[in-house]
């Protein structure tokens, strides 16, 4: 099957997960802490229920495929096709009642992300991409996503979810980006990457990401004309320290600062 063939099925996964999550949003739901350290890493019933629904659909339709998920681990991760799922990226925003979270669904073929979707069911937005193009569907209709030109970091709007998520050394390195950017903002999780693909943000810099945090966003950003790598300039689907830029010039300048 081609990516085009899979796109309708990915839409089904998004719809099913959204229908599962929404009854929990802005309610009094129980919250568990997955972290074994002092850092708060919340997970809710909505996270688990949405991933379970998507896993059931994948296993019923493509039993030979692998699955990598945030809540229930990995199955057949060495298969040619692997689904990478993050039922709620931005759980801290979710439990706070803010709608800047989304369901991330990625399809990997032989280890490389070939299709990704970010679905925000409360707002009714879907951002999807296949590396060659990227699309938005939402309340304002449907349109192609395109990054914007930005000649230098000094003209750029930069986002990170929070510098507090970085270790002390990486936080100090990241401060070089903050000092060089025209505007530096916090928050967003997956939404920052989608806003970059839509041409509203120029740079996203993160650390400590897992594969399910980034895999779905790579085909969206690259499909819109952007660049996503690690801080070392390597492929980003394995997670870690990630940098995404809408303009290759900003990406190059930021990489030099991060590795200077």
């Amino acid at each position: 099957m081609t990516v085009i063939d899979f796109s309708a099925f990915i839409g089904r996964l998004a719809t099913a997960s959204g229908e599962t999550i929404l009854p929990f949003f802005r309610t009094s739901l129980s919250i568990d802490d997955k972290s074994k350290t002092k850092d708060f890493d919340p997970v809710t019933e909505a996270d688990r229920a949405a991933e379970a629904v998507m896993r059931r659909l994948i296993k019923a339709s493509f039993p030979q495929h692998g699955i990598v998920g945030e809540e229930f681990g990995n199955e057949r991760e060495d298969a040619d096709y692997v689904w990478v799922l993050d039922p709620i990226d931005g759980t801290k925003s979710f439990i706070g009642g803010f709608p800047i979270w989304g369901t991330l669904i990625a399809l990997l073929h032989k280890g490389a992300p070939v299709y990704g979707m970010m679905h925000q069911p409360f707002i009714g937005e879907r951002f999807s991409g296949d590396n060659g193009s990227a699309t938005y569907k939402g309340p304002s209709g449907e349109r192609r996503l395109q990054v914007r030109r930005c000649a230098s970091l000094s003209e750029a709007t930069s986002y990170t979810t929070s510098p507090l998520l970085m270790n002390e050394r990486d936080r100090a390195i990241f401060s070089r980006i903050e000092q060089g950017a025209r505007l530096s903002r916090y928050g967003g999780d997956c939404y920052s990457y989608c806003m970059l693909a839509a041409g509203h943000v120029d740079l996203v810099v993160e650390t400590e990401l897992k594969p399910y945090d980034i895999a779905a966003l790579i085909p969206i950003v690259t499909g819109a004309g952007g660049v996503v790598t690690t801080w070392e300039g390597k492929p980003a689907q394995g997670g870690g320290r990630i940098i995404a830029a809408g303009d290759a010039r900003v990406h190059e300048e930021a990489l030099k600062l991060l590795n200077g």
Side-chain angles (χ1 to χ4, degrees), residues 95-128:
I95 64 177
F98 291 89
I100 47 173
W101 51 271
T103 299
L104 297 179
I105 305 168
L107 178 63
L108 273 57
H109 183 231
K110 296 184 177 178
V114 293
Y115 193 92
M117 176 178 285
M118 191 283 266
H119 179 217
Q120 214 305 326
F122 184 75
I123 300 174
E125 293 186 318
R126 293 184 181 186
F127 299 81
S128 59

Side-chain angles (χ1 to χ4, degrees), residues 51-52 54-56 58-59 62-85:
E51 185 171 320
M54 291 190 286
R55 282 178 178 266
R56 283 198 296 270
I58 292 168
K59 290 178 181 179
F62 304 105
Q64 74 278 23
H65 288 192
I67 302 175
V68 173
E70 179 173 14
E71 307 306 334
F72 298 111
N74 304 344
E75 303 176 58
R76 294 176 55 85
E77 56 187 309
D78 58 346
D80 278 357
Y81 284 101
V82 177
W83 298 88
V84 183
L85 310 173

Side-chain angles (χ1 to χ4, degrees), residues 132-136 143-149 194-201 220-226 246:
S133 64
T135 304
Y136 167 86
R143 65 179 183 276
R144 182 167 179 170
L145 294 171
Q146 184 68 45
V147 298
R148 68 184 177 191
R149 292 176 59 81
C194 292
M195 292 301 97
L196 187 147
H200 305 301
V201 173
I220 299 172
V221 171
T222 57

